[in-house]
Amino acid sequence: MLLFVLVLSLVAQACSAPTTAQQPNQKTDQHVKSIFILAGQSNMAGRGGVVNDTTTGIVTWDGVVPPKCRPNPSVFRLDANLSWVKAREPLHADIDVGKTNGIGPGMAFANAVLANHSSTVGRIGLVPCAIGGTNITQWARGSFLYNQMIGRAKVSLQNGGSIRALLWYQGESDTARREDARSYKNRLETFLGDVRLDLQSPDLPIIQVALASGEEASLIEIVREAQLGVDFLNVRTVDAKGLPLEPDGLHLTTPAQVQLGKMLADAYLQFLPSAISHAPVTYPNYIFHFLLYLVLKVLTTS
């Protein structure tokens, strides 16, 4: 019955929606950014170059910024105050607070995309949202982290631009308990559907990272299998397995993060023709994808 009511509501919206796309604002178009959401846990936030002195117990970042992660006049980040500022490492310094942040994949990704398609992509806006040590249940719809991510994403659109993709690297915290590992696929697919729903972008490109590390070896493989088994339209997975890790055996090294950024860029560039030039989503198309998502959600939770 609830699904039927939702269908009627969506059909009513479709009937009342304008049939012509809104013409772009010429003044705003001169400042359009290609916006990318960076979300997940510590390996997305970045721990490259972060060293734990076992003698003193002090955790520090070595401050080394590789050339491929250096600031670029065409790359900005949405800071904790919701303002666009020039992007520089560590990207998550004021987001993943209380942690020591280092090099992540974001800057290497942005610079690699610009190196290949600067004229097409224009200025890039990165929206850091990752928080270290978080379980996927903490990213469920309605949670603080989820609401913060969606809120930041919506604010990023206020001065023009389009969200081109979600970059998602999470799952290490779900390899500590068997129940979490076994539930990961359903939780992940629900999360991805919810993000697209709340951003009103059913075809939003999503690039996730399959784990390179975790807590329990057997559970890492269960989570990796779930990640590699996601079969959603416009979702691609890059595999971090085998990339070098810091001495803690959990976090990617700086060179590994640079390599991961390039891998993410390569995956995104495969989306480019549709992601950059696709027409606005029409209401009938949105309804179709939304209803399909609802049906799948009902089937998987019943």
PDB file of all heavy atoms in Angstrom, residues 127-163:
ATOM      1  N   VAL A 127      34.430  17.676  -2.528  1.00  0.00           N
ATOM      2  CA  VAL A 127      33.619  17.802  -1.313  1.00  0.00           C
ATOM      3  C   VAL A 127      34.030  16.695  -0.349  1.00  0.00           C
ATOM      4  O   VAL A 127      33.473  15.590  -0.370  1.00  0.00           O
ATOM      5  CB  VAL A 127      32.108  17.712  -1.633  1.00  0.00           C
ATOM      6  CG1 VAL A 127      31.289  17.926  -0.361  1.00  0.00           C
ATOM      7  CG2 VAL A 127      31.723  18.730  -2.694  1.00  0.00           C
ATOM      8  N   PRO A 128      35.021  16.934   0.515  1.00  0.00           N
ATOM      9  CA  PRO A 128      35.475  15.907   1.469  1.00  0.00           C
ATOM     10  C   PRO A 128      34.403  15.613   2.513  1.00  0.00           C
ATOM     11  O   PRO A 128      33.843  16.535   3.112  1.00  0.00           O
ATOM     12  CB  PRO A 128      36.714  16.538   2.107  1.00  0.00           C
ATOM     13  CG  PRO A 128      37.094  17.685   1.215  1.00  0.00           C
ATOM     14  CD  PRO A 128      35.818  18.164   0.619  1.00  0.00           C
ATOM     15  N   CYS A 129      34.143  14.319   2.740  1.00  0.00           N
ATOM     16  CA  CYS A 129      33.134  13.915   3.730  1.00  0.00           C
ATOM     17  C   CYS A 129      33.565  12.695   4.537  1.00  0.00           C
ATOM     18  O   CYS A 129      32.821  12.247   5.421  1.00  0.00           O
ATOM     19  CB  CYS A 129      31.811  13.583   3.038  1.00  0.00           C
ATOM     20  SG  CYS A 129      31.055  14.947   2.127  1.00  0.00           S
ATOM     21  N   ALA A 130      34.737  12.124   4.244  1.00  0.00           N
ATOM     22  CA  ALA A 130      35.139  10.860   4.860  1.00  0.00           C
ATOM     23  C   ALA A 130      35.510  11.039   6.334  1.00  0.00           C
ATOM     24  O   ALA A 130      36.092  12.050   6.718  1.00  0.00           O
ATOM     25  CB  ALA A 130      36.310  10.256   4.098  1.00  0.00           C
ATOM     26  N   ILE A 131      35.187  10.018   7.117  1.00  0.00           N
ATOM     27  CA  ILE A 131      35.502  10.009   8.545  1.00  0.00           C
ATOM     28  C   ILE A 131      36.117   8.657   8.897  1.00  0.00           C
ATOM     29  O   ILE A 131      35.509   7.600   8.663  1.00  0.00           O
ATOM     30  CB  ILE A 131      34.247  10.239   9.414  1.00  0.00           C
ATOM     31  CG1 ILE A 131      33.570  11.572   9.048  1.00  0.00           C
ATOM     32  CG2 ILE A 131      34.608  10.198  10.888  1.00  0.00           C
ATOM     33  CD1 ILE A 131      34.386  12.808   9.371  1.00  0.00           C
ATOM     34  N   GLY A 132      37.302   8.686   9.463  1.00  0.00           N
ATOM     35  CA  GLY A 132      38.021   7.464   9.783  1.00  0.00           C
ATOM     36  C   GLY A 132      37.312   6.590  10.800  1.00  0.00           C
ATOM     37  O   GLY A 132      36.639   7.091  11.706  1.00  0.00           O
ATOM     38  N   GLY A 133      37.471   5.272  10.645  1.00  0.00           N
ATOM     39  CA  GLY A 133      36.965   4.320  11.628  1.00  0.00           C
ATOM     40  C   GLY A 133      35.469   4.123  11.635  1.00  0.00           C
ATOM     41  O   GLY A 133      34.911   3.629  12.610  1.00  0.00           O
ATOM     42  N   THR A 134      34.780   4.456  10.536  1.00  0.00           N
ATOM     43  CA  THR A 134      33.320   4.382  10.524  1.00  0.00           C
ATOM     44  C   THR A 134      32.808   3.123   9.840  1.00  0.00           C
ATOM     45  O   THR A 134      33.271   2.743   8.771  1.00  0.00           O
ATOM     46  CB  THR A 134      32.710   5.614   9.833  1.00  0.00           C
ATOM     47  OG1 THR A 134      33.351   5.824   8.566  1.00  0.00           O
ATOM     48  CG2 THR A 134      32.912   6.851  10.689  1.00  0.00           C
ATOM     49  N   ASN A 135      31.833   2.497  10.476  1.00  0.00           N
ATOM     50  CA  ASN A 135      31.131   1.339   9.944  1.00  0.00           C
ATOM     51  C   ASN A 135      30.078   1.818   8.947  1.00  0.00           C
ATOM     52  O   ASN A 135      29.588   2.949   9.054  1.00  0.00           O
ATOM     53  CB  ASN A 135      30.474   0.592  11.108  1.00  0.00           C
ATOM     54  CG  ASN A 135      29.832  -0.713  10.707  1.00  0.00           C
ATOM     55  OD1 ASN A 135      28.791  -0.740  10.072  1.00  0.00           O
ATOM     56  ND2 ASN A 135      30.462  -1.817  11.106  1.00  0.00           N
ATOM     57  N   ILE A 136      29.709   0.977   7.992  1.00  0.00           N
ATOM     58  CA  ILE A 136      28.734   1.416   6.987  1.00  0.00           C
ATOM     59  C   ILE A 136      27.374   1.722   7.612  1.00  0.00           C
ATOM     60  O   ILE A 136      26.597   2.521   7.072  1.00  0.00           O
ATOM     61  CB  ILE A 136      28.595   0.387   5.849  1.00  0.00           C
ATOM     62  CG1 ILE A 136      27.934   1.057   4.635  1.00  0.00           C
ATOM     63  CG2 ILE A 136      27.845  -0.857   6.321  1.00  0.00           C
ATOM     64  CD1 ILE A 136      27.979   0.240   3.376  1.00  0.00           C
ATOM     65  N   THR A 137      27.067   1.132   8.769  1.00  0.00           N
ATOM     66  CA  THR A 137      25.807   1.474   9.433  1.00  0.00           C
ATOM     67  C   THR A 137      25.782   2.934   9.868  1.00  0.00           C
ATOM     68  O   THR A 137      24.712   3.531  10.007  1.00  0.00           O
ATOM     69  CB  THR A 137      25.569   0.569  10.658  1.00  0.00           C
ATOM     70  OG1 THR A 137      26.659   0.700  11.575  1.00  0.00           O
ATOM     71  CG2 THR A 137      25.432  -0.889  10.246  1.00  0.00           C
ATOM     72  N   GLN A 138      26.961   3.519  10.080  1.00  0.00           N
ATOM     73  CA  GLN A 138      27.031   4.930  10.456  1.00  0.00           C
ATOM     74  C   GLN A 138      26.776   5.853   9.262  1.00  0.00           C
ATOM     75  O   GLN A 138      26.650   7.072   9.435  1.00  0.00           O
ATOM     76  CB  GLN A 138      28.392   5.240  11.083  1.00  0.00           C
ATOM     77  CG  GLN A 138      28.632   4.537  12.403  1.00  0.00           C
ATOM     78  CD  GLN A 138      30.029   4.771  12.937  1.00  0.00           C
ATOM     79  OE1 GLN A 138      30.933   3.961  12.735  1.00  0.00           O
ATOM     80  NE2 GLN A 138      30.215   5.890  13.614  1.00  0.00           N
ATOM     81  N   TRP A 139      26.714   5.245   8.052  1.00  0.00           N
ATOM     82  CA  TRP A 139      26.421   6.008   6.843  1.00  0.00           C
ATOM     83  C   TRP A 139      25.005   5.727   6.344  1.00  0.00           C
ATOM     84  O   TRP A 139      24.645   6.127   5.233  1.00  0.00           O
ATOM     85  CB  TRP A 139      27.435   5.672   5.753  1.00  0.00           C
ATOM     86  CG  TRP A 139      28.807   6.178   6.046  1.00  0.00           C
ATOM     87  CD1 TRP A 139      29.802   5.530   6.705  1.00  0.00           C
ATOM     88  CD2 TRP A 139      29.338   7.459   5.702  1.00  0.00           C
ATOM     89  NE1 TRP A 139      30.922   6.323   6.802  1.00  0.00           N
ATOM     90  CE2 TRP A 139      30.663   7.514   6.184  1.00  0.00           C
ATOM     91  CE3 TRP A 139      28.829   8.568   5.025  1.00  0.00           C
ATOM     92  CZ2 TRP A 139      31.474   8.636   6.018  1.00  0.00           C
ATOM     93  CZ3 TRP A 139      29.635   9.683   4.860  1.00  0.00           C
ATOM     94  CH2 TRP A 139      30.953   9.703   5.353  1.00  0.00           C
ATOM     95  N   ALA A 140      24.206   5.040   7.157  1.00  0.00           N
ATOM     96  CA  ALA A 140      22.837   4.740   6.746  1.00  0.00           C
ATOM     97  C   ALA A 140      22.024   6.021   6.625  1.00  0.00           C
ATOM     98  O   ALA A 140      22.274   7.016   7.320  1.00  0.00           O
ATOM     99  CB  ALA A 140      22.180   3.788   7.745  1.00  0.00           C
ATOM    100  N   ARG A 141      21.049   5.995   5.762  1.00  0.00           N
ATOM    101  CA  ARG A 141      20.204   7.170   5.526  1.00  0.00           C
ATOM    102  C   ARG A 141      19.595   7.652   6.844  1.00  0.00           C
ATOM    103  O   ARG A 141      19.046   6.868   7.614  1.00  0.00           O
ATOM    104  CB  ARG A 141      19.095   6.822   4.539  1.00  0.00           C
ATOM    105  CG  ARG A 141      18.327   8.027   4.046  1.00  0.00           C
ATOM    106  CD  ARG A 141      17.247   7.597   3.092  1.00  0.00           C
ATOM    107  NE  ARG A 141      16.678   8.731   2.392  1.00  0.00           N
ATOM    108  CZ  ARG A 141      15.522   8.707   1.756  1.00  0.00           C
ATOM    109  NH1 ARG A 141      14.819   7.586   1.722  1.00  0.00           N
ATOM    110  NH2 ARG A 141      15.069   9.784   1.144  1.00  0.00           N
ATOM    111  N   GLY A 142      19.703   8.938   7.105  1.00  0.00           N
ATOM    112  CA  GLY A 142      19.180   9.527   8.330  1.00  0.00           C
ATOM    113  C   GLY A 142      20.215   9.682   9.424  1.00  0.00           C
ATOM    114  O   GLY A 142      19.985  10.394  10.397  1.00  0.00           O
ATOM    115  N   SER A 143      21.377   9.033   9.268  1.00  0.00           N
ATOM    116  CA  SER A 143      22.431   9.155  10.272  1.00  0.00           C
ATOM    117  C   SER A 143      23.118  10.509  10.154  1.00  0.00           C
ATOM    118  O   SER A 143      22.978  11.228   9.160  1.00  0.00           O
ATOM    119  CB  SER A 143      23.467   8.043  10.089  1.00  0.00           C
ATOM    120  OG  SER A 143      24.185   8.231   8.871  1.00  0.00           O
ATOM    121  N   PHE A 144      23.898  10.847  11.174  1.00  0.00           N
ATOM    122  CA  PHE A 144      24.607  12.130  11.163  1.00  0.00           C
ATOM    123  C   PHE A 144      25.552  12.230   9.970  1.00  0.00           C
ATOM    124  O   PHE A 144      25.574  13.251   9.268  1.00  0.00           O
ATOM    125  CB  PHE A 144      25.393  12.302  12.465  1.00  0.00           C
ATOM    126  CG  PHE A 144      26.300  13.511  12.459  1.00  0.00           C
ATOM    127  CD1 PHE A 144      25.792  14.778  12.678  1.00  0.00           C
ATOM    128  CD2 PHE A 144      27.662  13.381  12.208  1.00  0.00           C
ATOM    129  CE1 PHE A 144      26.616  15.900  12.650  1.00  0.00           C
ATOM    130  CE2 PHE A 144      28.497  14.490  12.182  1.00  0.00           C
ATOM    131  CZ  PHE A 144      27.973  15.756  12.400  1.00  0.00           C
ATOM    132  N   LEU A 145      26.362  11.193   9.742  1.00  0.00           N
ATOM    133  CA  LEU A 145      27.332  11.242   8.646  1.00  0.00           C
ATOM    134  C   LEU A 145      26.648  11.332   7.289  1.00  0.00           C
ATOM    135  O   LEU A 145      27.084  12.071   6.404  1.00  0.00           O
ATOM    136  CB  LEU A 145      28.256  10.022   8.697  1.00  0.00           C
ATOM    137  CG  LEU A 145      29.194   9.925   9.891  1.00  0.00           C
ATOM    138  CD1 LEU A 145      30.064   8.679   9.787  1.00  0.00           C
ATOM    139  CD2 LEU A 145      30.071  11.172  10.008  1.00  0.00           C
ATOM    140  N   TYR A 146      25.579  10.565   7.129  1.00  0.00           N
ATOM    141  CA  TYR A 146      24.846  10.592   5.859  1.00  0.00           C
ATOM    142  C   TYR A 146      24.246  11.971   5.630  1.00  0.00           C
ATOM    143  O   TYR A 146      24.383  12.553   4.541  1.00  0.00           O
ATOM    144  CB  TYR A 146      23.747   9.534   5.876  1.00  0.00           C
ATOM    145  CG  TYR A 146      22.969   9.457   4.577  1.00  0.00           C
ATOM    146  CD1 TYR A 146      23.389   8.630   3.542  1.00  0.00           C
ATOM    147  CD2 TYR A 146      21.804  10.216   4.397  1.00  0.00           C
ATOM    148  CE1 TYR A 146      22.674   8.567   2.352  1.00  0.00           C
ATOM    149  CE2 TYR A 146      21.091  10.154   3.214  1.00  0.00           C
ATOM    150  CZ  TYR A 146      21.528   9.329   2.193  1.00  0.00           C
ATOM    151  OH  TYR A 146      20.829   9.271   1.009  1.00  0.00           O
ATOM    152  N   ASN A 147      23.584  12.503   6.630  1.00  0.00           N
ATOM    153  CA  ASN A 147      22.955  13.821   6.482  1.00  0.00           C
ATOM    154  C   ASN A 147      23.989  14.908   6.219  1.00  0.00           C
ATOM    155  O   ASN A 147      23.748  15.836   5.443  1.00  0.00           O
ATOM    156  CB  ASN A 147      22.149  14.161   7.735  1.00  0.00           C
ATOM    157  CG  ASN A 147      20.908  13.309   7.871  1.00  0.00           C
ATOM    158  OD1 ASN A 147      20.460  12.693   6.902  1.00  0.00           O
ATOM    159  ND2 ASN A 147      20.347  13.249   9.073  1.00  0.00           N
ATOM    160  N   GLN A 148      25.138  14.791   6.881  1.00  0.00           N
ATOM    161  CA  GLN A 148      26.200  15.776   6.661  1.00  0.00           C
ATOM    162  C   GLN A 148      26.708  15.701   5.232  1.00  0.00           C
ATOM    163  O   GLN A 148      26.921  16.731   4.585  1.00  0.00           O
ATOM    164  CB  GLN A 148      27.346  15.531   7.644  1.00  0.00           C
ATOM    165  CG  GLN A 148      28.511  16.487   7.459  1.00  0.00           C
ATOM    166  CD  GLN A 148      29.570  16.333   8.534  1.00  0.00           C
ATOM    167  OE1 GLN A 148      29.623  17.105   9.474  1.00  0.00           O
ATOM    168  NE2 GLN A 148      30.405  15.306   8.398  1.00  0.00           N
ATOM    169  N   MET A 149      26.900  14.485   4.712  1.00  0.00           N
ATOM    170  CA  MET A 149      27.368  14.325   3.342  1.00  0.00           C
ATOM    171  C   MET A 149      26.367  14.892   2.341  1.00  0.00           C
ATOM    172  O   MET A 149      26.749  15.658   1.434  1.00  0.00           O
ATOM    173  CB  MET A 149      27.602  12.844   3.046  1.00  0.00           C
ATOM    174  CG  MET A 149      28.007  12.557   1.605  1.00  0.00           C
ATOM    175  SD  MET A 149      28.133  10.777   1.265  1.00  0.00           S
ATOM    176  CE  MET A 149      26.408  10.297   1.472  1.00  0.00           C
ATOM    177  N   ILE A 150      25.087  14.545   2.493  1.00  0.00           N
ATOM    178  CA  ILE A 150      24.072  15.037   1.566  1.00  0.00           C
ATOM    179  C   ILE A 150      23.939  16.556   1.679  1.00  0.00           C
ATOM    180  O   ILE A 150      23.818  17.268   0.666  1.00  0.00           O
ATOM    181  CB  ILE A 150      22.713  14.364   1.836  1.00  0.00           C
ATOM    182  CG1 ILE A 150      22.800  12.853   1.569  1.00  0.00           C
ATOM    183  CG2 ILE A 150      21.617  14.991   0.985  1.00  0.00           C
ATOM    184  CD1 ILE A 150      23.126  12.468   0.151  1.00  0.00           C
ATOM    185  N   GLY A 151      24.005  17.062   2.897  1.00  0.00           N
ATOM    186  CA  GLY A 151      23.922  18.504   3.089  1.00  0.00           C
ATOM    187  C   GLY A 151      25.070  19.247   2.432  1.00  0.00           C
ATOM    188  O   GLY A 151      24.869  20.264   1.764  1.00  0.00           O
ATOM    189  N   ARG A 152      26.283  18.730   2.610  1.00  0.00           N
ATOM    190  CA  ARG A 152      27.448  19.362   1.987  1.00  0.00           C
ATOM    191  C   ARG A 152      27.353  19.281   0.458  1.00  0.00           C
ATOM    192  O   ARG A 152      27.707  20.227  -0.252  1.00  0.00           O
ATOM    193  CB  ARG A 152      28.734  18.706   2.488  1.00  0.00           C
ATOM    194  CG  ARG A 152      29.099  19.113   3.910  1.00  0.00           C
ATOM    195  CD  ARG A 152      30.297  18.348   4.453  1.00  0.00           C
ATOM    196  NE  ARG A 152      31.504  18.467   3.646  1.00  0.00           N
ATOM    197  CZ  ARG A 152      32.293  19.540   3.607  1.00  0.00           C
ATOM    198  NH1 ARG A 152      31.981  20.605   4.365  1.00  0.00           N
ATOM    199  NH2 ARG A 152      33.379  19.568   2.855  1.00  0.00           N
ATOM    200  N   ALA A 153      26.883  18.141  -0.037  1.00  0.00           N
ATOM    201  CA  ALA A 153      26.751  17.978  -1.484  1.00  0.00           C
ATOM    202  C   ALA A 153      25.765  18.999  -2.054  1.00  0.00           C
ATOM    203  O   ALA A 153      26.020  19.610  -3.102  1.00  0.00           O
ATOM    204  CB  ALA A 153      26.297  16.556  -1.806  1.00  0.00           C
ATOM    205  N   LYS A 154      24.660  19.219  -1.378  1.00  0.00           N
ATOM    206  CA  LYS A 154      23.667  20.167  -1.870  1.00  0.00           C
ATOM    207  C   LYS A 154      24.182  21.604  -1.801  1.00  0.00           C
ATOM    208  O   LYS A 154      23.932  22.406  -2.715  1.00  0.00           O
ATOM    209  CB  LYS A 154      22.364  20.010  -1.082  1.00  0.00           C
ATOM    210  CG  LYS A 154      21.637  18.702  -1.402  1.00  0.00           C
ATOM    211  CD  LYS A 154      20.328  18.572  -0.644  1.00  0.00           C
ATOM    212  CE  LYS A 154      19.593  17.294  -1.040  1.00  0.00           C
ATOM    213  NZ  LYS A 154      18.303  17.128  -0.334  1.00  0.00           N
ATOM    214  N   VAL A 155      24.903  21.929  -0.733  1.00  0.00           N
ATOM    215  CA  VAL A 155      25.486  23.272  -0.636  1.00  0.00           C
ATOM    216  C   VAL A 155      26.479  23.512  -1.768  1.00  0.00           C
ATOM    217  O   VAL A 155      26.566  24.618  -2.309  1.00  0.00           O
ATOM    218  CB  VAL A 155      26.180  23.452   0.731  1.00  0.00           C
ATOM    219  CG1 VAL A 155      27.051  24.706   0.731  1.00  0.00           C
ATOM    220  CG2 VAL A 155      25.152  23.547   1.847  1.00  0.00           C
ATOM    221  N   SER A 156      27.204  22.479  -2.148  1.00  0.00           N
ATOM    222  CA  SER A 156      28.217  22.637  -3.202  1.00  0.00           C
ATOM    223  C   SER A 156      27.611  23.056  -4.537  1.00  0.00           C
ATOM    224  O   SER A 156      28.319  23.577  -5.404  1.00  0.00           O
ATOM    225  CB  SER A 156      28.998  21.328  -3.376  1.00  0.00           C
ATOM    226  OG  SER A 156      28.233  20.346  -4.065  1.00  0.00           O
ATOM    227  N   LEU A 157      26.310  22.847  -4.703  1.00  0.00           N
ATOM    228  CA  LEU A 157      25.641  23.161  -5.971  1.00  0.00           C
ATOM    229  C   LEU A 157      25.095  24.579  -6.029  1.00  0.00           C
ATOM    230  O   LEU A 157      24.633  25.012  -7.082  1.00  0.00           O
ATOM    231  CB  LEU A 157      24.477  22.180  -6.186  1.00  0.00           C
ATOM    232  CG  LEU A 157      24.844  20.709  -6.348  1.00  0.00           C
ATOM    233  CD1 LEU A 157      23.588  19.843  -6.286  1.00  0.00           C
ATOM    234  CD2 LEU A 157      25.585  20.483  -7.657  1.00  0.00           C
ATOM    235  N   GLN A 158      25.154  25.304  -4.930  1.00  0.00           N
ATOM    236  CA  GLN A 158      24.449  26.580  -4.848  1.00  0.00           C
ATOM    237  C   GLN A 158      24.986  27.645  -5.794  1.00  0.00           C
ATOM    238  O   GLN A 158      24.241  28.529  -6.215  1.00  0.00           O
ATOM    239  CB  GLN A 158      24.468  27.099  -3.411  1.00  0.00           C
ATOM    240  CG  GLN A 158      23.603  26.282  -2.470  1.00  0.00           C
ATOM    241  CD  GLN A 158      23.607  26.801  -1.047  1.00  0.00           C
ATOM    242  OE1 GLN A 158      24.329  27.743  -0.710  1.00  0.00           O
ATOM    243  NE2 GLN A 158      22.810  26.186  -0.186  1.00  0.00           N
ATOM    244  N   ASN A 159      26.255  27.583  -6.132  1.00  0.00           N
ATOM    245  CA  ASN A 159      26.821  28.593  -7.025  1.00  0.00           C
ATOM    246  C   ASN A 159      27.082  28.042  -8.416  1.00  0.00           C
ATOM    247  O   ASN A 159      27.929  28.537  -9.150  1.00  0.00           O
ATOM    248  CB  ASN A 159      28.124  29.148  -6.434  1.00  0.00           C
ATOM    249  CG  ASN A 159      27.881  29.920  -5.155  1.00  0.00           C
ATOM    250  OD1 ASN A 159      26.887  30.633  -5.041  1.00  0.00           O
ATOM    251  ND2 ASN A 159      28.766  29.770  -4.189  1.00  0.00           N
ATOM    252  N   GLY A 160      26.334  27.035  -8.783  1.00  0.00           N
ATOM    253  CA  GLY A 160      26.501  26.440 -10.105  1.00  0.00           C
ATOM    254  C   GLY A 160      27.342  25.186 -10.043  1.00  0.00           C
ATOM    255  O   GLY A 160      27.917  24.836  -9.013  1.00  0.00           O
ATOM    256  N   GLY A 161      27.415  24.494 -11.151  1.00  0.00           N
ATOM    257  CA  GLY A 161      28.166  23.260 -11.226  1.00  0.00           C
ATOM    258  C   GLY A 161      27.261  22.054 -11.108  1.00  0.00           C
ATOM    259  O   GLY A 161      26.065  22.166 -10.829  1.00  0.00           O
ATOM    260  N   SER A 162      27.838  20.889 -11.305  1.00  0.00           N
ATOM    261  CA  SER A 162      27.101  19.631 -11.242  1.00  0.00           C
ATOM    262  C   SER A 162      27.935  18.597 -10.501  1.00  0.00           C
ATOM    263  O   SER A 162      29.157  18.580 -10.610  1.00  0.00           O
ATOM    264  CB  SER A 162      26.787  19.111 -12.646  1.00  0.00           C
ATOM    265  OG  SER A 162      25.982  20.014 -13.365  1.00  0.00           O
ATOM    266  N   ILE A 163      27.252  17.744  -9.748  1.00  0.00           N
ATOM    267  CA  ILE A 163      27.945  16.632  -9.100  1.00  0.00           C
ATOM    268  C   ILE A 163      28.191  15.567 -10.148  1.00  0.00           C
ATOM    269  O   ILE A 163      27.244  14.999 -10.708  1.00  0.00           O
ATOM    270  CB  ILE A 163      27.121  16.076  -7.927  1.00  0.00           C
ATOM    271  CG1 ILE A 163      26.961  17.155  -6.850  1.00  0.00           C
ATOM    272  CG2 ILE A 163      27.800  14.831  -7.340  1.00  0.00           C
ATOM    273  CD1 ILE A 163      26.044  16.739  -5.709  1.00  0.00           C
TER     274      ILE A 163
END
